[in-house]
Amino acid sequence: MNEKALRTLEFDKIREMLVHHAGSDLGRKRCGELVPADTKEDAERLQTETADALNRLNLKGTLSFSGIPDVGESLLRLDRGGCLQIPELLRIGSLLSAVARAKSYGCPGDRGDDFPADSLSEKFELLEERKAEALEISRCIISEEEIADDASPGLKSVRRKMKATSDKIRERLGSILSAASQAGMIQDALITMRDGRYCLPYKSEYKNQVSGMVHDQSSSGSTSFIEPIEIVKLNNELRELEVKETEEIQKVLAALSEMLAPWTESLRYDREAMTELDFIFARAQLAREMKAVRPDFSDDRTVKIIKGRHPLIDPKKVVPIDISFGQTYSMVVITGPNTGGKTVSLKTVGLFALMGQAGLHIPAQSGTILGIFPEVYADIGDEQSIEQSLSTFSSHMTNTVKILEAAQEDSLVLFDELGAGTDPTEGAALAMAILTFLHRFDIRTMATTHYAELKVFAMTTEGVINACCEFDVESLRPTYRLLLGIPGKSNAFAISKRLGLSDSIIKDADSFIGIRDKSFEDMIAGLENTRKKLEEELAAAKADRREAAVDRAEWEKKNKAIEERRDRILTEAKSEAGQIVQEAKDFADETIRRINKLGGTGNMAALEDERRKAREKLSEIAPKETLKKAEKKADHKAADFHIGDNVLVLSMNVNGTVHTLPNAKGDCFVTMGIMTTKVNISDLALLETPKEDNSKKVHVASGIASKALTISPELNLVGKRVDEAVAELDKYLDDAFLAHLAKVTIIHGRGTGAVRQAVQNHCRKTKYVKSYTLSPDYGSTEVVFKE
């Protein structure tokens, strides 16, 4: 990417913004060297890294990259077998600490977190912490001026001796100082050091009376710093110990350097990886600051910017722009008044292209699409050169010539005021020729202009579209909105009138405009009015659509509530119906048992009493609506009934068969299953019987009686599944009970015991089962019925 375009489009200022978000010197240097990628693959990779870093920032917070020093020279010294000094070792320790911090942040799997893998996971995983080496450095080195006493046994021993010797010297000097002070020989009662040796400040007039070595004298000459002869030997011992201390410290530093020497490549990788991560997270921090989004990249150099905001304009003042070109239109010609936002629109498109290819998110809405342009060329601004004696036109034309020579099909070219600075007729002609040349090679181009000829060129040339920056004539202020498809007006007359220019002058000026030019301007004005009306209608339609969406959401909410209520009512009804059915079944079982018991005694009164109880119970359970409907059908005469007719006993809601003809009171006997009872015809409703079934009519009681003759006292369930066995068992027990069998045997086999357990569970729940007993071989169960 050519540096001139980067400067012209102010990409260097974006780099400066990025630098402020880096945490280390190496990271800041890397941010300052940022350049756009040339290929879609590289741009997508950079964007993915930025997006993943931004996701981590939002979910896990920030990661500090401070303390990542440049240890390159130190690592070279280690490769050569050199010994590192304290500051160098501290810098490596700082790098290792930063690596450990990044490893903990970026590899959550080590802590049990379920953070999904992304494009940065491998970078974090490949970092090598070197915990032992980091701990050893921090244990041995306290600061740049101090090595810990425990760094080595030798150093600890030497420092212990140094302390003991120093204490002896101070104790001895204390005695000498006390005696000399009493004699008035001491200038100040303190122990001082000169050239690393302990001394006392004697008055200069007494220096010849003191046995010792003079090391220094005050500037006034009144004080002499003398080392008494009594402590010379101790001072010498202390100096020797200091030399040994230095030797021990060098041994410690050599040991630490030797410890790090095998890991220079690992440390070198850590330095590079941490620098790269700092660079990536700086891009994410910038994206979060700008409220930017990741752009998509097209394969055909299509550009579609949605609500794009120039990143260098105050976010509170910037006006978002929408612009799209590259598919139907490869060239955009922007017209309109000065200070209307044409140049800003031009720079926004160019800067977004550079930022997107450099891996930076752009301040726009999601869905924004950018093309991949290996080269972006821009001729923007007044580049008049006094040194080279070039006018504005000449300077622009020089740049234009260079652009035309270098531009390729996959380039993006941006011109500001193309052809300006010279005769308007010739300038417009040159501008049209230049744009035609670029259009011939399908080069994506944007150009701003005031020339009406270029407006016509855009309207009449396929693949070229007009655009303008909206201007509010009433307020004399630009709105900075970019409008595609409409050429702009200069609005010079309207602006001049608002500023106070007399109507007569404006009228004279209007007379100088040719009819063709005036018609063209009137056409533009008409287009502008039409656009405003369409925008108003569109806004109203959107408002109606939003209102309809709200109404629909409210309707769907109410409908959902109704459906939920319906489902709840149905569920409750099913549950209640199930309870009613179970109660009816239990009552029927119990009634049948009693009727069977009374049937053998011939006690008709008792049987009739049982029938009455059953009728009353069924009247409680049966739905009133069903009974009412049935009652309406019960308007029959005695002559309507014949023996064998199918009837419905209304009070019991049970089907039966007429057994005898009605007497004078309308009473007749009706057979219902195994029970025959007297019923009045007012309680009966005739049921239709298909003709084809007449030959097959049999009494239910006869069917049950025949079943009683054929029912087996044993049921074999061996080899059946549990669900099959339970269904067959349920039917068999009902038939056996109705057949008046006292007991039956259920053969289920031993097997896994699942069928045996199911049989016993079912018997336990059956109300007419008195008891059940498992056989000694566990292969069958004997079931005894209640009487």
Side-chain angles (χ1 to χ4, degrees):
M1 190 68 66
N2 65 90
E3 283 295 327
K4 183 179 184 304
L6 299 181
R7 289 194 309 272
T8 301
L9 296 172
E10 300 179 289
F11 186 73
D12 53 330
K13 294 183 180 179
I14 299 297
R15 286 193 289 214
E16 290 175 6
M17 294 172 65
L18 183 64
V19 165
H20 292 305
H21 290 285
S24 65
D25 291 339
L26 289 173
R28 283 185 281 272
K29 181 181 178 183
R30 181 74 177 81
C31 291
E33 297 170 349
L34 175 67
V35 292
D38 293 336
T39 64
K40 181 180 179 181
E41 291 73 19
D42 288 341
E44 291 281 13
R45 174 181 56 81
L46 294 172
Q47 286 290 345
T48 300
E49 291 174 349
T50 304
D52 290 340
L54 182 58
N55 183 48
R56 287 176 179 263
L57 288 176
N58 293 332
L59 295 179
K60 304 177 65 175
T62 58
L63 171 62
S64 173
F65 287 94
S66 60
I68 307 177
D70 188 358
V71 295
E73 293 184 2
S74 300
L75 296 179
L76 287 174
R77 191 174 293 109
L78 285 176
D79 288 335
R80 298 171 184 147
C83 178
L84 302 184
Q85 297 305 306
I86 294 177
E88 294 176 296
L89 290 168
L90 284 176
R91 285 196 290 271
I92 292 179
S94 178
L95 173 62
L96 293 175
S97 297
V99 168
R101 194 165 58 242
K103 189 85 171 178
S104 175
Y105 176 92
C107 300
D110 299 340
R111 305 192 307 273
D113 296 347
D114 189 19
F115 191 85
D118 56 25
S119 63
L120 305 182
S121 298
E122 185 177 3
K123 295 181 185 294
F124 282 111
E125 290 170 1
L126 292 178
L127 291 172
E128 297 189 39
E129 292 186 60
R130 299 292 162 208
K131 293 181 179 179
E133 288 78 1
L135 288 174
E136 184 65 11
I137 292 173
S138 62
R139 184 186 71 83
C140 295
I141 303 177
I142 298 175
S143 68
E144 291 193 7
E145 294 81 23
E146 185 177 4
I147 297 291
D149 293 347
D150 295 332
S152 72
L155 181 60
K156 186 173 183 179
S157 175
V158 168
R159 285 186 173 172
R160 187 168 57 247
K161 292 178 181 179
M162 289 176 63
K163 185 177 185 305
T165 303
S166 180
D167 290 343
K168 288 181 182 179
I169 293 173
R170 287 184 170 277
E171 182 180 357
R172 182 63 183 141
L173 284 176
S175 300
I176 298 173
L177 180 62
S178 177
S181 296
Q182 291 178 0
M185 302 170 64
I186 297 297
Q187 189 74 21
D188 296 304
L190 55 85
I191 299 173
T192 184
M193 292 193 74
R194 288 295 184 273
D195 298 328
R197 302 178 73 89
Y198 286 98
C199 301
L200 293 177
Y202 284 93
K203 295 178 181 179
S204 293
E205 57 265 29
Y206 296 108
K207 68 179 180 179
N208 293 327
Q209 300 178 23
V210 179
S211 298
M213 299 173 60
V214 178
H215 285 281
D216 197 5
Q217 192 174 20
S218 65
S219 57
S220 63
S222 60
T223 303
S224 295
F225 297 95
I226 302 174
E227 177 185 0
I229 193 65
E230 295 92 330
I231 65 165
V232 170
K233 183 178 179 182
L234 291 174
N235 266 332
N236 289 339
E237 292 177 3
L238 185 61
R239 292 300 295 271
E240 291 175 0
L241 290 172
E242 288 175 351
V243 172
K244 290 183 179 180
E245 179 191 29
T246 302
E247 293 173 355
E248 291 296 330
I249 289 175
Q250 284 303 118
K251 290 180 182 179
V252 171
L253 299 180
L256 293 175
S257 300
E258 186 178 356
M259 173 189 71
L260 294 172
W263 311 113
T264 54
E265 288 304 317
S266 172
L267 292 170
R268 197 171 279 113
Y269 172 80
D270 284 349
R271 181 194 64 172
E272 297 300 327
M274 289 296 289
T275 301
E276 185 68 16
L277 286 170
D278 189 11
F279 171 52
I280 293 171
F281 275 84
R283 302 201 307 257
Q285 292 273 21
L286 181 62
R288 186 161 67 173
E289 179 186 62
M290 295 192 305
K291 298 179 181 179
V293 300
R294 174 179 180 171
D296 296 323
F297 292 105
S298 63
D299 294 320
D300 56 358
R301 294 169 291 139
T302 295
V303 175
K304 181 183 179 182
I305 297 174
I306 306 173
K307 303 299 179 187
R309 311 178 305 277
H310 195 288
L312 300 179
I313 299 178
D314 186 349
K316 297 179 181 179
K317 298 179 180 179
V318 65
V319 176
I321 66 166
D322 296 317
I323 187 167
S324 175
F325 69 99
Q327 288 184 325
T328 307
Y329 306 100
S330 62
M331 183 176 292
V332 179
V333 177
I334 306 176
T335 53
N338 289 328
T339 69
K342 300 190 303 297
T343 304
V344 171
S345 299
L346 208 64
K347 285 189 172 183
T348 300
V349 173
L351 188 55
F352 275 17
L354 299 177
M355 291 176 63
Q357 291 173 217
L360 299 176
H361 286 6
I362 59 174
Q365 283 190 1
S366 297
T368 293
I369 301 173
L370 300 176
I372 296 295
F373 303 104
E375 285 291 348
V376 176
Y377 299 98
D379 180 43
I380 300 175
D382 186 0
E383 299 192 11
Q384 182 174 357
S385 174
I386 298 177
E387 293 181 357
Q388 299 180 11
S389 300
L390 294 177
S391 65
T392 300
F393 175 77
S394 299
S395 178
H396 280 296
M397 189 51 60
T398 300
N399 292 334
T400 301
V401 170
K402 293 179 180 178
I403 290 173
L404 295 179
E405 290 175 350
Q408 302 292 327
E409 183 181 352
D410 55 2
S411 301
L412 174 64
V413 178
L414 307 172
F415 288 117
D416 187 27
E417 301 294 350
L418 181 61
T422 187
D423 178 76
T425 303
E426 295 181 355
L430 280 172
M432 284 190 289
I434 292 169
L435 293 181
T436 300
F437 174 82
L438 294 171
H439 186 52
R440 187 181 303 129
F441 293 100
D442 197 29
I443 297 174
R444 301 293 180 264
T445 307
M446 288 184 68
T448 67
T449 183
H450 285 287
Y451 294 141
E453 290 85 349
L454 291 186
K455 301 176 188 179
V456 177
F457 169 79
M459 294 177 66
T460 57
T461 305
E462 184 179 356
V464 184
I465 187 172
N466 269 303
C468 69
C469 288
E470 191 179 47
F471 191 87
D472 187 351
V473 180
E474 295 298 324
S475 63
L476 294 182
R477 293 180 179 275
T479 64
Y480 300 106
R481 291 179 58 206
L482 185 66
L483 308 174
L484 284 176
I486 300 176
K489 288 185 64 178
S490 65
N491 295 301
F493 289 175
I495 294 173
S496 300
K497 184 175 181 179
R498 291 279 296 177
L499 293 175
L501 191 64
S502 67
D503 292 340
S504 60
I505 295 178
I506 293 176
K507 186 177 181 180
D508 289 342
D510 185 58
S511 66
F512 295 136
I513 297 179
I515 296 176
R516 182 178 177 183
D517 293 335
K518 189 179 297 184
S519 299
F520 182 74
E521 292 296 323
D522 290 342
M523 180 191 69
I524 294 176
L527 289 173
E528 179 68 9
N529 293 332
T530 302
R531 179 192 63 79
K532 289 182 178 180
K533 290 180 181 179
L534 290 174
E535 283 189 350
E536 291 174 359
E537 292 176 2
L538 180 61
K542 287 182 177 179
D544 292 341
R545 197 161 115 194
R546 284 194 297 270
E547 187 176 348
V550 171
D551 292 342
R552 179 175 179 178
E554 191 173 334
W555 175 83
E556 289 179 350
K557 183 178 179 182
K558 290 180 179 179
N559 190 48
K560 184 178 180 182
I562 292 172
E563 290 180 355
E564 291 176 352
R565 184 182 176 191
R566 182 197 65 188
D567 293 342
R568 185 171 62 254
I569 292 173
L570 287 175
T571 302
E572 293 174 355
K574 287 179 182 178
S575 177
E576 185 177 351
Q579 293 177 0
I580 292 173
V581 170
Q582 186 62 41
E583 289 177 6
K585 187 176 183 302
D586 295 343
F587 179 76
D589 291 342
E590 183 65 19
T591 300
I592 291 171
R593 188 186 67 78
R594 290 194 187 121
I595 290 174
N596 288 337
K597 185 175 181 181
L598 292 172
T601 64
N603 189 343
M604 297 304 294
L607 284 172
E608 181 63 23
D609 186 56
E610 286 297 327
R611 186 189 72 79
R612 179 184 56 77
K613 291 179 181 178
R615 183 169 62 248
E616 292 174 352
K617 182 66 176 176
L618 289 173
S619 296
E620 295 175 4
I621 297 175
K624 295 180 180 179
E625 292 78 1
T626 303
L627 293 178
K628 287 180 180 178
K629 291 179 181 178
E631 286 170 2
K632 293 179 181 179
K633 298 178 182 179
D635 187 15
H636 296 294
K637 299 177 182 179
D640 296 334
F641 293 92
H642 305 88
I643 295 174
D645 285 349
N646 291 332
V647 293
L648 171 68
V649 181
L650 299 176
S651 59
M652 301 177 68
N653 198 29
V654 176
N655 292 347
T657 305
V658 176
H659 192 65
T660 63
L661 294 176
N663 58 20
K665 295 182 180 180
D667 295 331
C668 66
F669 284 92
V670 177
T671 301
M672 296 170 287
I674 64 172
M675 179 178 68
T676 301
T677 185
K678 184 169 66 175
V679 184
N680 192 277
I681 61 174
S682 63
D683 193 25
L684 296 177
L686 283 169
L687 299 178
E688 294 183 2
T689 304
K691 294 180 180 180
E692 58 270 18
D693 292 336
N694 288 340
S695 62
K696 300 180 181 179
K697 286 183 180 179
V698 292
H699 294 298
V700 176
S702 300
I704 294 177
S706 64
K707 181 179 289 187
L709 296 174
T710 59
I711 193 74
S712 173
E714 292 183 353
L715 175 64
N716 191 347
L717 300 177
V718 175
K720 297 185 181 295
R721 298 197 306 269
V722 171
D723 54 346
E724 295 175 340
V726 170
E728 190 170 337
L729 175 65
D730 183 61
K731 182 177 183 305
Y732 174 75
L733 291 178
D734 286 345
D735 292 343
F737 179 67
L738 293 174
H740 302 291
L741 296 181
K743 61 181 180 180
V744 294
T745 301
I746 310 301
I747 302 172
H748 44 65
R750 287 179 291 184
T752 61
V755 176
R756 180 182 71 243
Q757 186 65 36
V759 168
Q760 294 183 353
N761 289 341
H762 187 76
C763 291
R764 188 183 304 112
K765 297 177 182 178
T766 305
K767 294 189 176 182
Y768 53 78
V769 172
K770 181 178 181 181
S771 64
Y772 56 91
T773 306
L774 185 65
S775 65
D777 62 352
Y778 297 98
S780 63
T781 298
E782 185 180 77
V783 179
V784 179
F785 296 110
K786 295 179 181 178
E787 295 180 358

